[in-house]
Amino acid sequence: MTERTYKAMTFRSLTIACGLLAAVPHAAHAAAPSEVLAWGDPEYGQTAVPAAVKEGSSAIGAGAFHSLAVRDGAVHSWGSNRYGHSAVPAALNSGVTAVSGGYLHSLALKSGGVVSWGADRYDATAVPSAAKNGVEAIAAGQYFSLALKNGAVLAWGDNRKDQTEVPDAAETGVTAIAAGAHHALALTKDGEVIAWGDNSKKQTDIPAEVKSGTVTAIAAGKDTSVAVVGGKVYAWGATYAAQKVPSGAQSKVVQVAVAIESLAALKEDGKVIEWKVNNTSATNVTGATDVRALAAGAHHFVALKGDPPEKS
């Protein structure tokens, strides 16, 4: 891919925040070491998991063309580094609990404070003082960032589509956040979804089935929003996203991830299924068993499988 093409690519990364690594209920299994698995487009090396994080990682993230993992509290990043978004700051060699990737920037959560690096377009990496302590979750959009603090959403960076104009409803009782390219989602403690920002593809028009149900997980892509209600995946926004989901994604789903040409769902049994745009036939992802977290970039996915590392 040429530099010109890279710059023209639109970001459609998924960020699952708040509870990214929460225990996923699935069948009992023998203890297995935590392992990072990545698949999809390898062009920038984003699916070539480094040996340093292959086992023993505790958190993962994915940007458009790069991937992130946390092992022993230290951040590791691989894939594209054209704008320094994979050049991990030295301060992130310990104490990190979560990571999230944007288009050209990355986020990490260290001791309750947000650290950001990479391209500072539209002040995407200009972390406000309020996000430097007490933060519980993070999510990176294309050129903006989100943080969850005391049940309230904090946002900074690109606001051309009002994506950092947090609505009043998202200033209390929020338990999870997700960032698309130019829109954002929040999940409340009552299982309700709040959406704001760009609505050019109806990505903030929450379907009636989602509004009337209890949502347990959310995800956001470039112009796509996804929610899980009663174990079933609902997608809205871009034309392809409104399709009927495969039968395998209509029950027992606990997490979702959205890339440009495909979606992935984590099932209760720890297995992952993937389906292509405009195709309701899902396939099982090879090697994706005992998975407990998912993340998606533009054309790739990252999964964390096995048991959490023992705390020292």
Side-chain angles (χ1 to χ4, degrees):
M1 185 178 290
T2 65
E3 180 175 359
R4 180 179 179 182
T5 302
Y6 179 97
K7 290 181 178 179
M9 286 297 297
T10 51
F11 168 68
R12 299 197 181 199
S13 178
L14 157 80
T15 306
I16 300 176
C18 190
L20 174 66
L21 301 179
V24 175
H26 55 80
H29 63 281
S34 178
E35 181 182 347
V36 175
L37 175 70
W39 68 95
D41 178 24
E43 184 165 358
Y44 291 94
Q46 61 267 51
T47 61
V49 182
V53 296
K54 187 65 176 178
E55 293 187 355
S57 292
S58 57
I60 55 169
F65 303 104
H66 70 293
S67 303
L68 299 151
V70 178
R71 187 177 188 273
D72 296 329
V75 176
H76 298 260
S77 185
W78 62 99
S80 170
N81 191 37
R82 190 180 297 269
Y83 295 92
H85 43 291
S86 288
V88 181
L92 299 179
N93 63 358
S94 65
V96 176
T97 55
V99 283
S100 181
Y103 182 40
L104 303 176
H105 76 292
S106 300
L107 302 177
L109 184 58
K110 177 176 180 176
S111 302
V114 180
V115 180
S116 185
W117 67 100
D120 193 34
R121 294 185 183 181
Y122 303 98
D123 293 327
T125 63
V127 182
S129 57
K132 293 184 178 180
N133 61 80
V135 172
E136 304 151 12
I138 51 177
Q142 182 163 326
Y143 299 127
F144 75 105
S145 304
L146 300 175
L148 180 60
K149 180 177 180 178
N150 297 327
V153 179
L154 305 176
W156 62 95
D158 185 12
N159 194 40
R160 291 174 296 168
K161 300 292 184 179
D162 295 328
Q163 61 267 52
T164 63
E165 296 292 334
V166 181
D168 292 345
E171 294 186 347
T172 182
V174 174
T175 59
I177 49 178
H182 303 291
H183 77 290
L185 302 178
L187 177 61
T188 73
K189 61 184 179 181
D190 297 320
E192 298 178 355
V193 177
I194 303 165
W196 66 96
D198 182 24
N199 195 37
S200 60
K201 298 294 179 64
K202 307 301 180 182
Q203 58 266 55
T204 65
D205 286 350
I206 304 169
E209 299 92 337
V210 174
K211 287 184 177 180
S212 63
T214 300
V215 178
T216 55
I218 54 174
K222 177 183 179 293
D223 47 18
T224 306
S225 299
V226 184
V228 178
V229 180
K232 179 179 179 179
V233 173
Y234 291 88
W236 65 97
T239 302
Y240 80 82
Q243 64 176 306
K244 181 180 179 181
V245 301
S247 58
Q250 294 187 36
S251 65
K252 299 182 179 180
V253 173
V254 293
Q255 289 182 12
V256 282
V258 190
I260 287 181
E261 298 175 342
S262 56
L263 296 87
L266 172 58
K267 304 280 287 188
E268 287 182 358
D269 61 4
K271 295 180 180 179
V272 176
I273 60 172
E274 180 182 353
W275 62 99
K276 300 297 183 181
V277 171
N278 293 322
N279 187 335
T280 57
S281 176
T283 59
N284 291 320
V285 176
T286 302
T289 56
D290 289 329
V291 172
R292 54 192 174 90
L294 279 178
H299 301 283
H300 77 290
F301 293 93
V302 181
L304 185 61
K305 54 184 291 185
D307 295 316
E310 293 184 4
K311 294 182 179 181
S312 57

